[in-house]
Amino acid sequence: TLLDGLPQGTNAAGGDASGPNSLAMRGRTIYVAIGQGDTVIPGPPGSTIPNPNVSSALFSSVLAIHLSAAAERSTAGFTLSEQNRMTLAGGGKVTLSNGKGDKLQVELVVNFPDYVSEPNAANAGNVRNSNPFGVLLVDDFMYVTNGGLNRLFKVNLDTGSYAELAAFSPIANTSGLGGPPFVEAVPTGLAYSDGQVLVALLS
């Protein structure tokens, strides 16, 4: 284990554990997308509402983990404490040492909103959860797919500012297996080729 203690929670949709989703590496820096965790919970029938007792302020974010040369070669591992996670959520950097010459620094690159408002007939307070998934590094920017919001974001690595680059509409269900007439796009994987960002859709 390189780094233990990353945020994890039980998501409302499937009851599965949700935490680190994917990563990308440049030099000795690893960028890790942290998923939705337990940011939302079931509301009145047909709705989702914000979780008033979310277990971490670092869900729906991307962390940068900077390794020392010693840690890159071999390490006994590190653990983020609750205080470390609070420091990161506040915009601070955390430096960890395991007493064997290995050092590791963690910082918050971007923190997306945990959810967006999406009122429906069942509940005016209904929300749609954010779920950063894929991470891609190109020059001074990072591209992040958000499977919950069906969007692709472009993040400035120097400032942490971000903008929506693309939104993916529901896809017509032509499977012939029944189900709803449309399904969510759910952008997940990312790749880069010849000036183009390629996005895989789960559905």
Side-chain angles (χ1 to χ4, degrees):
T1 300
L2 175 64
L3 180 60
D4 204 351
L6 290 166
Q8 177 176 296
T10 301
N11 76 66
D16 300 322
S18 172
N21 271 338
S22 62
L23 56 83
M25 188 167 187
R26 174 182 287 172
R28 291 196 184 111
T29 300
I30 303 171
Y31 296 86
V32 182
I34 306 297
Q36 63 184 339
D38 57 2
T39 53
V40 298
I41 56 176
S47 69
T48 300
I49 60 174
N51 184 354
N53 299 305
V54 65
S55 61
S56 175
L58 290 175
F59 291 128
S60 302
S61 70
V62 178
L63 302 178
I65 303 167
H66 308 286
L67 308 176
S68 67
E72 185 180 33
R73 289 192 298 270
S74 176
T75 179
F78 305 86
T79 299
L80 279 175
S81 67
E82 176 60 28
Q83 182 58 52
N84 294 152
R85 292 190 291 270
M86 291 174 61
T87 299
L88 290 170
K93 296 182 180 180
V94 170
T95 300
L96 305 175
S97 175
N98 60 12
K100 298 183 178 181
D102 306 339
K103 290 186 182 294
L104 183 147
Q105 186 181 73
V106 186
E107 64 177 315
L108 181 67
V109 179
V110 57
N111 199 357
F112 299 104
D114 288 341
Y115 50 82
V116 296
S117 177
E118 192 176 73
N120 62 23
N123 184 8
N126 185 68
V127 298
R128 174 179 286 270
N129 66 286
S130 173
N131 191 22
F133 194 88
V135 180
L136 173 70
L137 303 169
V138 181
D139 298 326
D140 296 328
F141 296 94
M142 175 172 58
Y143 297 88
V144 183
T145 51
N146 194 304
L149 300 180
N150 294 307
R151 298 175 187 173
L152 172 67
F153 292 102
K154 184 178 182 179
V155 181
N156 185 310
L157 287 171
D158 292 327
T159 66
S161 61
Y162 64 91
E164 180 182 311
L165 191 62
F168 301 91
S169 301
I171 300 169
N173 182 0
T174 58
S175 68
L177 302 175
F182 291 91
V183 294
E184 299 281 328
V186 194
T188 51
L190 283 168
Y192 179 80
S193 177
D194 194 26
Q196 295 182 322
V197 176
L198 309 179
V199 181
L201 303 182
L202 182 65
S203 297

